[in-house]
Amino acid sequence: MSAMAAQPGPSAARRFARGLNVGLAVFLVLYGTIAVLQPSYFEVEGFLNFLRRAAPLIILACGQLFVIAGGGFDLSMGSLVTLTVLGGSMLAGGNPENTWWTIGVLYLIGLGVGLVNGLVVTLLKVPSIIATLGMLLSLNGAALMWSGGAPRGYLPENFRALGRLVYRDVPLTGIMPLSVIILIGFVALAAWLLHATVFGRQVLAVGDNPRTAELSGVPVGATRVLVFVISALSAVTAGILLGGFAGVSTAVGQGLELQAIAACVIGGAQLLGGRASVTGAVAGALSLFALFTLLNLMGLPQPLRETVQGLILIAAVASSAWRMRRA
Amino acid sequence: MKTQIGLTALLAALSTGAMAQNFNDPAEFERQKGLLTVAPQGPDGKPWEQNLGGEKVDTAKYKKPGPYKLCFSNAGVNNPWRVVGFTNMQAEVDANKADIASFTHADAEGKDDKQISDINAFVNSGQCDALIVSPNTTAALTPAVEAAAKKLPVVVFDRGVDSKAPVTFINPIGGYGFGIQGASFIAEKIPAGGSVLALRILPGVDVLENRWAAAERIFKEKGIKVVGAEFTNGDNAKTKAIVEDYLNRFGKIDGVWMDAGATAVAALEAFEDAGKPYPVINGEDQQDFLQKWKKNKLTAIAPTYPTYQWRTPVIAAIRILKGEPVTGPTWKLPQPAITTETLDKYVNDKMPPLHYALCGCEQMTNYPARWGGK
């Protein structure tokens, strides 16, 4: 119980269960509908392929979750994804020997972006929504300047493999996409960090009430900077998977930051901080991705599809808010 | 049953509402279909100086001594096609240094209001002997272009305006032509009663809507089953996910028609990853697609909307200011499609993946470095 001293409210177990409930229920309904329309989704292979495509969004949602839990937003994720893909192709230039140091440089860029976001928010007291919106514009500009608007290289095959390779003839599951293995590792790391470390508790405490957190000895500034670093590193990871999955494109990151935020909320995270669970964010991202897939499969005309998408998002957020009030 | 009828009516209303502008004009379809077979006039090997049978406009009243100050109001440099095009244009300016004292560029970043104020600023500055405009949208830019044309010679290219005020309007054949080239090829190559998936970027852009209108008409005439028409937003990941879904759903897709080729390689990779044979496909003249086509011996075609058209307005502006007649009031450039027979001529592994092969830039100074090649 002492671990929860800075965190009034429901117990960790109950939070975990609630995050699981909302997002998971939505996901199961949507996925069930998809599978009825398209029975191949009922098979293990179908599910793993679905996971492979959803992996970048899930990873982004997990990163965004730390920022949201700490009481902020990170709007720069999508443009960092774009910068990762364009930068990756420019640095590696199609040469497989360049892949590993390129990935190292990309993570360093991510580290830099996260530090700047965090320091602007903590030292300059700029609200995170503004600070990261500024970062979004700067990163888009940087990506365009760097590539001249038209990417100049290819991603080498071993870089592409991270998002594209599927191991065949695997016992039990049949296939195993490499990106799903990366996804599982990433989610496990995020869950451990948020739910099993002192740092995770400090993030939630800062998001719940920064003043109280500070009085009880939490290093508020450092915690805030770190959540932006985590978010940026997750964006680089998602960018690497997306570039691997589909290759170079200038539109790759557009709007992903909002999807990541929506996924967290559907998964029961409380906007403005203090309450969050990794399982919830994963379930939220799965729900959102299932929704996109379902709307695709139903073949609705585009304007109607966007309307439906918007309505379902609002409904999901409203229902999670309603549940929170009751809790 | 009643709700279903209601819902269908609603759907119909929504879909026609989005298509309020008429992008399916049978007369224009026939005209562009005809233009595809017209032999171009003008210098051999320089398609950017050729025309498909236009009239000549007398420009004696604009004649003045050089060198000239040219101004260019650009809709934006917001996609790889425009990046390649604008690079062509700058190279053309450099190639005409003797006649050009200055070349001033204003980037409207895809915003009508910014472009209107850019044009006004150019006209009021007195620093422009001629104005080149690539309009962001047709209706919004028409008044600004008309006002500018009262003060100085204006050349419009790429997208048009609703006015005869500019001295000339330069572009290739057009959206219907592109749609006809791609869809006719696919319809011819897939088995009778075969299925086609259409991939589109986004709704509402005239050139793209015309491409689709033409393709839809051809598929209907030839009895091809269109299993879906999906918007990809030009995003590779979204394209690949959509194609995977369709392959899951239908098992087999014979053809993929695209309104623009930027995501063609992603669409093909979805077939690879699913272990299915490649479809008959149309892309565009982008290097990554051409290279994949050659390497995998695809059954493919690449209709184009050549970026060499960005060279022509500079040439036209100089001729106008010298008082030489130019093709107008519409100047139609050739719009070739790349076929398996001509593919080798256009594949170039040294150019970037998003380079458009029909740049007409190979003989220009600083090729290929200026275009990002090696």
Side-chain angles (χ1 to χ4, degrees):
Chain A
M1 218 27 228
S2 64
M4 297 303 301
Q7 174 59 42
S11 73
R14 276 188 58 199
R15 269 186 292 126
F16 177 86
R18 188 171 45 231
L20 205 59
N21 282 345
V22 184
L24 198 66
V26 178
F27 171 61
L28 288 179
V29 170
L30 288 169
Y31 195 85
T33 318
I34 294 174
V36 168
L37 287 173
Q38 182 52 59
S40 67
Y41 278 86
F42 267 131
E43 293 159 21
V44 180
E45 272 202 38
F47 180 67
L48 286 172
N49 271 324
F50 174 83
L51 268 191
R52 174 169 67 104
R53 276 152 37 186
L57 182 58
I58 298 174
I59 288 174
L60 285 171
C62 288
Q64 182 74 244
L65 185 73
F66 280 84
V67 181
I68 289 182
F73 293 99
D74 184 354
L75 295 183
S76 65
M77 291 186 114
S79 53
L80 184 52
V81 166
T82 307
L83 184 69
T84 302
V85 173
L86 296 189
S89 76
M90 305 273 294
L91 287 172
N95 184 351
E97 285 171 18
N98 295 341
T99 293
W100 302 111
W101 67 257
T102 296
I103 288 178
V105 172
L106 293 174
Y107 273 107
L108 282 179
I109 293 174
L111 183 68
V113 169
L115 280 176
V116 171
N117 274 339
L119 292 173
V120 169
V121 169
T122 42
L123 294 184
L124 303 182
K125 309 284 181 209
V126 178
S128 65
I129 206 159
I130 306 293
T132 56
L133 185 64
M135 182 58 88
L136 178 155
L137 296 172
S138 321
L139 291 181
N140 270 342
L144 276 180
M145 267 197 300
W146 191 1
S147 64
R152 302 264 164 108
Y154 289 91
L155 291 169
E157 281 308 309
N158 55 352
F159 189 113
R160 295 285 318 265
L162 295 168
R164 199 181 171 200
L165 181 71
V166 177
Y167 296 106
R168 310 262 165 199
D169 301 320
V170 176
L172 293 177
T173 56
I175 62 163
M176 182 47 78
L178 181 53
S179 57
V180 173
I181 299 174
I182 296 172
L183 170 71
I184 292 169
F186 187 92
V187 169
L189 190 67
W192 171 76
L193 209 55
L194 188 65
H195 298 304
T197 65
V198 176
F199 168 71
R201 284 192 294 277
Q202 289 175 339
V203 171
L204 289 165
V206 168
D208 194 46
N209 188 335
R211 183 87 184 115
T212 319
E214 195 168 10
L215 290 175
S216 46
V218 173
V220 174
T223 310
R224 281 214 169 123
V225 173
L226 270 178
V227 294
F228 283 102
V229 169
I230 293 172
S231 170
L233 294 181
S234 77
V236 173
T237 311
I240 289 170
L241 292 192
L242 273 172
F245 174 59
V248 182
S249 120
T250 44
V252 58
Q254 256 168 34
L256 286 180
E257 62 285 331
L258 292 180
Q259 292 181 15
I261 292 171
C264 292
V265 174
I266 293 172
Q270 181 171 296
L271 290 181
L272 304 177
R275 186 155 38 203
S277 91
V278 169
T279 38
V282 172
L286 283 171
S287 311
L288 203 57
F289 203 80
L291 173 65
F292 298 151
T293 310
L294 181 62
L295 293 176
N296 251 346
L297 281 177
M298 286 165 66
L300 296 181
Q302 179 87 352
L304 186 67
R305 195 184 297 184
E306 277 169 12
T307 314
V308 170
Q309 208 164 295
L311 289 178
I312 292 182
L313 276 182
I314 294 171
V317 176
S319 85
S320 75
W322 181 69
R323 290 176 70 96
M324 266 176 216
R325 271 202 308 278
R326 286 204 329 160
Chain B
M1 193 60 193
K2 230 177 196 169
T3 38
Q4 204 177 4
I5 294 169
L7 193 63
T8 318
L10 180 70
L11 284 179
L14 279 172
S15 53
T16 48
M19 303 292 274
Q21 266 174 291
N22 184 16
F23 294 123
N24 187 6
D25 177 352
E28 185 59 22
F29 175 93
E30 290 301 334
R31 204 177 70 84
Q32 294 194 11
K33 195 174 170 188
L35 278 174
L36 287 173
T37 58
V38 169
Q41 303 165 16
D44 270 346
K46 288 186 174 178
W48 53 92
E49 289 187 37
Q50 295 176 343
N51 64 76
L52 301 175
E55 318 252 303
K56 289 284 179 197
V57 177
D58 177 32
T59 62
K61 64 175 171 176
Y62 299 114
K63 185 171 180 175
K64 54 156 71 178
Y68 308 111
K69 290 176 284 196
L70 300 187
C71 296
F72 173 40
S73 166
N74 190 358
V77 202
N78 39 19
N79 63 47
W81 185 86
R82 302 192 75 84
V83 172
V84 174
F86 187 50
T87 311
N88 294 345
M89 186 183 242
Q90 290 168 301
E92 184 66 42
V93 168
D94 289 352
N96 289 282
K97 269 214 173 96
D99 287 322
I100 299 175
S102 68
F103 177 77
T104 319
H105 167 239
D107 181 352
E109 296 159 14
K111 298 183 194 101
D112 289 335
D113 53 335
K114 179 161 189 318
Q115 188 163 27
I116 290 167
S117 75
D118 285 347
I119 291 174
N120 290 338
F122 274 144
V123 172
N124 296 331
S125 71
Q127 295 300 307
C128 308
D129 293 322
L131 176 67
I132 298 168
V133 182
S134 173
N136 190 48
T137 63
T138 299
L141 269 302
T142 299
V145 168
E146 279 187 325
K150 289 195 181 115
K151 302 273 179 62
L152 75 182
V154 176
V155 175
V156 173
F157 79 102
D158 174 27
R159 305 172 199 162
V161 289
D162 269 332
S163 169
K164 297 269 175 252
V167 181
T168 186
F169 166 44
I170 300 159
N171 76 342
I173 294 171
Y176 294 101
F178 186 109
I180 292 167
Q181 287 168 321
S184 308
F185 177 83
I186 293 172
E188 186 187 308
K189 296 286 178 184
I190 67 176
S195 57
V196 165
L197 172 62
L199 296 174
R200 309 181 53 197
I201 301 181
L202 72 175
V205 177
D206 57 357
V207 178
L208 302 178
E209 291 290 346
N210 295 342
R211 289 177 184 182
W212 173 230
E216 206 176 14
R217 166 197 284 242
I218 286 167
F219 289 139
K220 205 168 178 183
E221 281 171 8
K222 307 269 172 165
I224 305 286
K225 190 178 161 214
V226 177
V227 292
E230 296 289 341
F231 293 103
T232 63
N233 290 335
D235 176 350
N236 278 343
K238 200 168 170 202
T239 303
K240 212 171 159 183
I242 288 172
V243 177
E244 274 188 19
D245 275 341
Y246 270 87
L247 283 170
N248 275 334
R249 193 163 144 207
F250 292 96
K252 183 164 176 279
I253 289 167
D254 302 298
V256 171
W257 179 88
M258 312 195 80
D259 69 357
T263 58
V265 170
L268 289 165
E269 282 185 0
F271 283 79
E272 283 172 7
D273 290 2
K276 308 269 183 193
Y278 290 118
V280 178
I281 189 170
N282 84 272
E284 218 175 329
D285 54 332
Q286 264 182 315
Q287 277 302 333
D288 61 351
F289 173 67
L290 299 181
Q291 289 165 18
K292 194 159 187 76
W293 175 359
K294 185 175 179 186
K295 188 173 158 212
N296 297 292
K297 302 196 167 42
L298 303 174
T299 308
I301 193 168
T304 64
Y305 199 60
T307 55
Y308 58 58
Q309 66 183 293
W310 287 68
R311 296 184 63 171
T312 318
V314 175
I315 296 167
I318 293 171
R319 285 188 193 160
I320 291 167
L321 291 168
K322 285 185 172 171
E324 298 167 8
V326 294
T327 309
T330 55
W331 181 340
K332 284 286 178 194
L333 299 169
Q335 182 178 305
I338 300 175
T339 61
T340 303
E341 289 73 42
T342 57
L343 177 62
D344 282 346
K345 203 172 116 193
Y346 296 105
V347 174
N348 185 346
D349 292 335
K350 303 227 180 303
M351 297 309 283
L354 302 185
H355 178 73
Y356 286 79
L358 271 85
C359 63
C361 57
E362 289 82 359
Q363 309 302 323
M364 301 185 91
T365 327
N366 291 333
Y367 178 89
R370 189 169 193 161
W371 286 262
K374 281 183 278 201

